[in-house]
Structures are given as C-alpha cells and as structure tokens.
C-alpha cells in the first residue's frame, strides 16, 4: 500500500486507509458477482534496476498514456479516465482527516482512495496521477526498498504525475514564459496548478532555478500557494463507476443495495461516500439476487 498524507496528517492514518482500501476491494468483488467492471490494461514496471532516472519516469508516463490510448494533450477528466481503464477511485469517507491519497493493487486491480478535505480539483487530479505513478512504478518493489526509499519513491511519483498530466512534447511547447500571468492563462487548458506548472517547467529545462525561485516568491506574495485562481470555481471530479454499475444491476431487479448493506461492516454514510450512490437507494427492502455463474452468465 502507498499512502500520501496531507501536511498535517500523521502516519497513524495509514491503518484506516488500508482498511478502507480492503473494503473498497470487497465492493468490487460484490459488484463483479453480477457484472464485469472495465478490464485493467495497466502493468507495473518490472525494471531490474532501481532507482529510476528522470528518463525512466518520462518513459513510464508516456507508456501509461499509450496504454490508455491518449495523445499528448490535456486530460479532460482524470477520474473518468482511470475508471475507464479499470482503476477503482473512491473518496475517503471522512471529512476530518487530512488524507491526500492511498493506493494499492488488490486482486490484480488498482484501487485509489482520495481525500477531500480542502482539496481543489487540480490537487485531486495531481493526487490521482501521483497514486497512478505508484501503481505503475513501485508495485513490484520489495517492502524493504519501499521503507528505505520512501522519500525518493514519493518524489518519483510526483515526477510521474507531472509528466503524465503535462507531456514534454506538448506542454513543453506551450509553457514558454516564466510569469504567473502567463501560467494562469494555461491553467484552464491543462487543469493543473500553477505551482505544478512551475515545477514541470524546471524539469523540462524551460525555467531556470532563478525563474523558479522568483515565481514561487510571487506565489507566496499573492497568497496563491494554497488557493490559486480558479480553485474555488472548479468542482472536484466525482467517481461514477460504482454508481453506474449498481444502477445497471438494479435495472435487472437485483437488490444490490441491500446486499451491500448486508455484506459490509460499514455505516450507511461510509458506504454512500465510497460508492457515490444516493443514500435513499440503500433503503429498499426487496432482495432478488442473481449472481454471475462461472461462465459469466447470470443464474
């Protein structure tokens, strides 16, 4: 499991994140008794040598884009993209814990849990891309390496996220001027933070260290480090995979909502938070179950 904490979180939150990722996997197992979720085409990297170079990280981000049949332009909705390719994304069910994200491969499916406390859309997208980086880059590392190289692993996931959201070939041609007003103009197109664009500009050799230092000083002076332009105007991206799957099952007169409540040791509000399904859908009393047989047909 990979765990990304907010600035005021402590590592004790890792335990609950692991538990909720496990329950998220149980939700997947329940749904797939009736229908198949999108297949997973992502494959973890199995490089013999570690750590990764910047060139390795750029290549991994590009390879992931190719696997998802993306070009090199901006991604309109990162959450929907991940769900379309078999990644299960859910929001942390609490609002009082500063969790950025957690992720884990369980039963050959990548699961990502995203925190929502004070999170802007651009920060959410970056967190999802960061966790995708862990799923691609670090899933095959041994536990000892993960513990020993924790700081580097986080830096690699950050680099991957920037390269995945802002490909060098296209973003590098647009990120031309080291000024906040210019980057503010790029933000609606790429849907990433100005801070992330500054860092990506440095990685690509477009901005010098002096440019970066000056730009971050200007960010601080304008009080944009935690609340940039557009952040309060854009809604976070909502997962839809579970809601669509449950509604599809429900159309076949299968009371999957009662099944969820019977099978999961979670309060209703937490099931609602993980599935993004309206709470009233779990209040039905009928139960007509038709599970998928070994052949994939219902029985």
């Amino acid at each position: 499991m990979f765990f990304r904490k907010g600035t005021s979180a402590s590592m004790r939150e890792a335990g609950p994140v692991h538990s909720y990722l496990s329950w998220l996997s149980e939700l997947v197992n329940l749904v797939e008794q009736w229908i198949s979720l999108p297949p997973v085409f992502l494959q973890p990297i199995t490089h013999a040598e570690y750590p990764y170079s910047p060139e390795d990280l750029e290549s991994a981000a590009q390879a992931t884009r190719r696997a998802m049949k993306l070009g090199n332009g901006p991604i309109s909705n990162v959450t929907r993209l991940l769900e379309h390719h078999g990644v299960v994304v859910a929001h942390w069910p609490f609002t009082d814990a500063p969790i950025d994200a957690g992720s884990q491969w369980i039963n050959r499916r990548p699961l990502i849990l995203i925190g929502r406390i004070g999170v802007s859309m651009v920060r959410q997208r970056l967190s999802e891309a960061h966790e995708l980086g862990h799923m691609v880059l670090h899933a095959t590392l041994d536990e000892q390496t993960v513990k020993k190289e924790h700081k580097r692993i986080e830096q690699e996931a950050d680099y991957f996220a920037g390269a995945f959201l802002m490909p060098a070939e296209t973003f590098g041609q647009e990120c031309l001027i080291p000024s906040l007003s210019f980057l503010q103009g790029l933000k609606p197109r790429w849907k990433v933070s100005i801070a992330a664009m500054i860092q990506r500009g440095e990685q690509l050799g477009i901005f010098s260290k002096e440019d970066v230092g000056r730009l971050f000083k200007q960010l601080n002076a304008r009080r944009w480090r935690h609340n940039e332009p557009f952040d309060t105007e854009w809604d976070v991206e909502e997962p839809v995979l579970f809601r669509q799957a449950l509604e599809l099952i429900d159309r076949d007169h299968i009371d999957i909502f009662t099944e969820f409540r019977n099978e999961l040791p979670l309060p209703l509000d937490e099931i609602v938070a993980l599935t993004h399904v309206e709470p009233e859908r779990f209040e039905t009393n009928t139960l007509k179950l038709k599970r998928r047989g070994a052949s994939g047909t219902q029985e």
Side-chain angles (χ1 to χ4, degrees):
M1 185 192 76
F2 296 93
F3 170 70
R4 189 184 189 201
K5 65 187 181 68
T7 55
S8 60
S10 67
M11 290 306 294
R12 68 177 178 273
E13 272 92 22
V17 170
H18 178 77
S19 297
Y20 278 94
L21 285 168
S22 298
W23 286 322
L24 196 57
S25 179
E26 289 298 320
L27 293 177
V28 172
N29 292 338
L30 282 170
V31 167
E32 290 204 306
Q33 291 176 14
W34 290 279
I35 63 172
S36 295
L37 295 178
V40 179
F41 293 104
L42 299 176
Q43 293 292 332
I45 288 176
T46 56
H47 281 303
E49 295 184 4
Y50 184 82
Y52 304 122
S53 68
E55 292 76 19
D56 291 332
L57 300 173
E58 294 281 353
S59 297
Q62 281 299 307
T64 303
R65 274 186 163 254
R66 287 194 299 271
M68 292 181 166
K69 295 181 171 57
L70 287 173
N72 285 319
I75 300 173
S76 59
N77 190 308
V78 174
T79 303
R80 301 286 176 85
L81 174 70
L82 294 178
E83 290 184 320
H84 181 72
H85 289 279
V87 182
V88 174
V89 181
H91 286 157
W92 177 246
F94 304 118
T95 58
D96 59 349
I99 300 298
D100 271 10
S103 60
Q104 189 174 13
W105 283 88
I106 301 181
N107 297 328
R108 299 184 180 181
R109 185 175 293 275
L111 310 176
I112 295 178
L113 193 62
I114 297 293
R116 295 193 62 177
I117 180 170
V119 173
S120 64
M121 183 185 75
V122 294
R123 178 172 169 180
Q124 174 204 17
R125 287 161 57 91
L126 188 67
S127 289
E128 290 179 357
H130 175 102
E131 296 305 318
L132 177 64
H134 282 315
M135 298 294 91
V136 172
L137 298 169
H138 304 129
T140 59
L141 297 180
D142 61 84
E143 186 175 355
Q144 182 178 358
T145 300
V146 171
K147 290 181 178 179
K148 180 181 177 181
E149 302 289 346
H150 174 75
K151 183 177 180 179
R152 186 183 187 103
I153 282 172
E154 289 300 304
Q155 292 172 342
E156 289 173 345
D158 279 340
Y159 194 112
F160 175 96
F164 180 74
L165 295 174
M166 296 168 279
E169 182 177 341
T170 46
F171 182 77
Q173 295 176 353
E174 297 183 23
C175 183
L176 301 175
I177 303 173
S179 78
L180 293 189
S181 59
F182 182 83
L183 296 176
Q184 183 179 344
L186 286 182
K187 184 171 178 175
R189 169 167 162 76
W190 289 92
K191 295 182 180 178
V192 294
S193 68
I194 295 172
M197 286 190 276
I198 294 171
Q199 292 171 335
R200 185 63 173 148
E202 183 181 25
Q203 290 172 353
L204 296 176
I206 301 170
F207 298 160
S208 67
K209 290 187 180 296
E210 291 74 19
D211 291 331
V212 172
R214 173 175 50 81
L215 289 170
F216 275 116
K217 285 181 180 179
Q218 292 173 356
L219 274 180
N220 286 328
R222 298 189 189 188
R223 299 182 180 178
W224 284 4
R225 288 303 297 268
H226 302 291
N227 188 16
E228 294 183 359
F230 307 112
D231 285 353
T232 59
E233 302 173 27
W234 295 343
D235 294 330
V236 296
E237 297 173 354
E238 299 286 349
V240 298
L241 182 64
F242 272 124
R243 184 170 70 245
Q244 291 178 344
L246 298 187
E247 289 175 352
L248 182 62
I249 297 171
D250 191 49
R251 287 179 199 161
D252 209 14
H253 305 292
I254 302 168
D255 188 4
I256 184 67
F257 303 102
T258 298
E259 181 79 348
F260 267 36
R261 295 205 66 178
N262 290 342
E263 294 291 332
L264 290 176
L266 295 173
L268 177 59
D269 60 339
E270 295 179 20
I271 297 177
V272 168
L274 288 173
T275 60
H276 293 268
V277 174
E278 299 81 0
E280 56 268 19
R281 299 303 300 272
F282 292 95
E283 295 174 358
T284 180
N285 293 318
T286 59
L287 185 61
K288 300 176 182 178
L289 302 181
K290 298 179 182 179
R291 299 177 184 269
R292 288 167 55 85
S295 65
T297 58
Q298 290 185 344
E299 56 184 27

